Amino acid sequence: MATVEKTKVLDEKMCDVFEWSDSKMPVRDALWDHFMDGNNHDTDKTSAEVAKYMDMSDDDVKTNAEKLLKA
């Protein structure tokens, strides 16, 4: 039986996940940067925010990331 990686979208490039993005940065890094900028670069707060995405399905990651990151 194959193991399914729940966080696949987090490791994909922004441009491969979202048609509106041309960034080659992984979704995980884009989320990290977004949360770091939003909380005065508090690593502990950012870690807590990004950790939530580790338990989401790929579809939920994509939906929630798009809400935060789409310019």
Side-chain angles (χ1 to χ4, degrees), residues 33-48:
D33 289 351
H34 172 81
F35 288 118
M36 284 292 277
D37 290 343
N39 65 32
N40 281 334
H41 297 269
D42 184 318
T43 305
D44 292 332
K45 287 181 182 177
T46 298
S47 292

Side-chain angles (χ1 to χ4, degrees), residues 7-18 21 23-34 61 65 69:
T7 60
K8 182 177 181 263
V9 168
L10 288 174
D11 296 323
E12 292 182 10
K13 295 175 189 172
M14 289 285 293
C15 61
D16 291 343
V17 175
F18 304 110
S21 177
S23 175
K24 294 185 188 218
M25 175 185 291
V27 173
R28 177 188 316 270
D29 293 350
L31 288 167
W32 182 269
D33 289 351
H34 172 81
V61 168
L69 303 173

